[in-house]
Amino acid sequence: MKSTILTSVFLLVSFLAFGQSLTESWEAEQNYRQTGMMVLGSWAVANIASGLVMRSNTTGVDSRFWEMNAIWNGVNLAIAGFGYFSAAKLGTDGTALELLQEQMGIDKTLLFNAGLDLGYIAAGAWMIERSKNVSKNPDLWKGYGRSIMFQGAFLFAFDVAMVLIHKKVVIGENMILSLNAAPGGVGAILQF
C-alpha cells in the first residue's frame, strides 16, 4: 500500500513536471489507441475492398493472394473495431498508477504481437515453399503464403511503430521511467 501511494505521488509529480495534467495524459492515451485502431481499420477496409475486386479480376496465385488479403483483414477489422471501442471506455479519471499500468500493458501486448507477426511471416514463407511440393492447390498455398507474409510484415511494422510512437507522444520522449524491485521494496527512477 505504501509503495502504491509513493508511486502514485511520484507519477503525479512527473506529470506536473511535463506541464501535462493527469486528465490530459489519459486523454492522450485514449487518442493514441483510437488513432492506432483507425489506422488498422483503414488498412483492413482497403485490403478487403481491393482483395474482393482483385480476386475476381485475377487468376491463379494472384487470385489467391487477393483472396487471403480480404479474409485476413476481416479479422483485422474486427480487432480494430474492438480496440477502438475499448479505448473509448478508458475514460480520463484514472490514477497515475493505473495510467502507467495501462501504458505498460499496451506496450507489452504490442511487442508480443510483433513476435506473432514474425511467426506469420515465417508461416507464409513455409507455405510458399510447401507450394513447390504439393500436387493439390499449389496456387492456393503460394498465394496465401505471399499474402500472409505481406500482412505479417505490415502488422510487424504497425506494432513496432505503435510502441515507438507511444513512447514519444504519450509517455514523453525525454522521460524514462524505470521501476526496480529490491529486497527492501520498489524503487522508481525518472530520467528527463
Side-chain angles (χ1 to χ4, degrees):
M1 178 69 173
K2 187 177 180 183
S3 64
T4 302
I5 293 170
L6 289 174
T7 303
S8 295
V9 169
F10 175 76
L11 291 171
L12 181 58
V13 169
S14 69
F15 288 123
L16 296 174
F18 286 106
Q20 186 172 346
S21 73
L22 184 55
T23 300
E24 290 170 327
S25 295
W26 274 103
E27 288 170 355
E29 180 70 21
Q30 187 177 42
N31 185 48
Y32 154 82
R33 290 186 189 193
Q34 287 183 314
T35 301
M37 292 302 98
M38 288 186 338
V39 168
L40 182 61
S42 297
W43 171 262
V45 168
N47 274 272
I48 291 168
S50 63
L52 293 174
V53 168
M54 295 303 292
R55 165 68 172 96
S56 301
N57 295 319
T58 57
T59 59
V61 173
D62 291 339
S63 178
R64 295 306 189 160
F65 171 84
W66 292 107
E67 180 179 81
M68 178 50 80
N69 279 353
I71 294 168
W72 188 275
N73 280 283
V75 175
N76 279 347
L77 186 59
I79 291 169
F82 175 78
Y84 184 87
F85 291 110
S86 293
K89 292 179 184 177
L90 272 180
T92 59
D93 59 351
T95 67
L97 182 59
E98 289 169 335
L99 178 59
L100 177 65
Q101 290 170 335
E102 283 288 333
Q103 290 173 338
M104 290 172 66
I106 194 68
D107 284 349
K108 284 180 185 177
T109 299
L110 289 166
L111 291 172
F112 177 78
N113 285 346
L116 288 177
D117 301 336
L118 294 174
Y120 301 147
I121 294 168
W126 176 82
M127 290 176 76
I128 292 169
E129 190 60 33
R130 175 91 170 123
S131 73
K132 298 173 186 175
N133 301 315
V134 294
S135 58
K136 187 176 180 183
N137 295 323
D139 289 350
L140 182 134
W141 283 90
K142 190 171 187 178
Y144 277 22
R146 285 181 178 174
S147 175
I148 292 170
M149 285 183 70
F150 177 66
Q151 296 300 327
F154 167 79
L155 290 173
F156 179 77
F158 173 80
D159 290 333
V160 170
M162 287 292 289
V163 170
L164 296 174
I165 290 168
H166 197 218
K167 180 188 178 307
K168 288 185 179 259
V169 174
V170 179
I171 298 173
E173 98 178 87
N174 297 320
M175 181 174 78
I176 300 171
L177 174 66
S178 59
L179 299 174
N180 301 307
V186 175
I189 300 169
L190 181 65
Q191 297 174 337
F192 298 94

